[in-house]
Amino acid sequence: MGKTLILGATGNLGGLTAGHLHRSDPLTLRLATSREAGLHRLERRFPGAEAVLCDWNEEASVVEAIKGVSRVLVVTPDIVTDESVVTPNIIRAARKAGTVELLVRLLGMPPGFTLEQADPAYVAARCGAGLHVVAKPLLDTSGLPVCYVNAPAWLMFNLPSFVATDVKANRRVAMPASTDCPRMWVSEGDVAEILAQVLSGDPADHVGQEHVLTSPTRHDYSGLAGVFTEVLGEAVTYVDDDRPLREAMGGSFDQLMTYLSHETGSYAGVQHVDTLARMLGRPAETLADYITAHKEYFQ
Ligand SMILES: NC(=O)c1ccc[n+]([C@@H]2O[C@H](COP(=O)([O-])OP(=O)(O)OC[C@H]3O[C@@H](n4cnc5c(N)ncnc54)[C@H](OP(=O)(O)O)[C@@H]3O)[C@@H](O)[C@H]2O)c1
């Protein structure tokens, strides 16, 4: 097996996936960041792996990073990514390399949802499905050996980002009511384990596949507060308050709110499939498991 390139290796999912692959073979890993500071972080965190600079807004930069690579993982960040620039650059670079046997792309969108169905404001918000409906058709028609890992759910790392501070200080899950709906929740640890499994597997088992990762249960904010109550052993209540989310998102708050106003409806019809537990060979992590494992964030 040749080298595996992770575009987005300093990120949450990219970093966790790199961790899995690094444990089995650091020497086949090429980890990319667009920042000089990211390079030093990668070298410290993943000794023995190759760390490279790559800005996916520049095609030449991706061409350089992808040279000689057989597997690629792409995880693009919300808010800042222009998929109409980034994805074509990655596609052209992968074609030029001619060595890519498997390109794995992380998605978070209702299966079958298309750009034509998406409100332009959804797409302009550049979050979640608003990003991925742009990237997916480009990859679908690229002729490259693509596999999607699609989590049309909230990743549990939203808890430390959005609600942990208020749960810890005031025993409140404080989120704006307009963004509430019964959501599926999947842990970032489970998603990363699947990404690593796919990247280290036989490309023939994954090319052309969309592995959809969902949870069997849904939780709205009151239900989430109930899980906190159960795990922490103290009453935690849901309150309609946008202040913690405003503080977490800073200048991107309005952009996220636009996204969420669409997401609350578009994810409602997503059906649960047992892909996650089947591929992991064990039950998926639940919200209660996650809160228990990360109690220091919440208590
Ligand atoms: N939050 C949720 O509930 C949820 C649910 C489902 C799916 N998702 C999806 O998950 C993805 C985000 O995952 P994440 O949180 O793991 O991402 P993240 O931590 O934001 O990481 C993004 C990565 O992109 C890299 N990057 C940024 N600008 C770049 C550039 N110009 N060139 C090359 N690399 C660049 C960053 O590295 P450097 O800055 O070091 O370059 C970083 O490693 C999004 O697509 C989101 O829609 C989220």
Side-chain angles (χ1 to χ4, degrees), residues 8-14 33-35 38 54-57 75-78 105-108 127-128 131-132 151 153-155 157-158:
T10 55
N12 296 307
L13 293 168
T33 169
S34 64
R35 296 166 299 119
C54 169
D55 181 348
W56 51 39
N57 294 305
V75 182
T76 54
D78 290 332
R105 167 67 206 224
L106 187 277
L107 302 174
C127 292
L131 285 179
H132 307 140
W154 264 24
L155 297 183
F157 61 44
N158 291 348

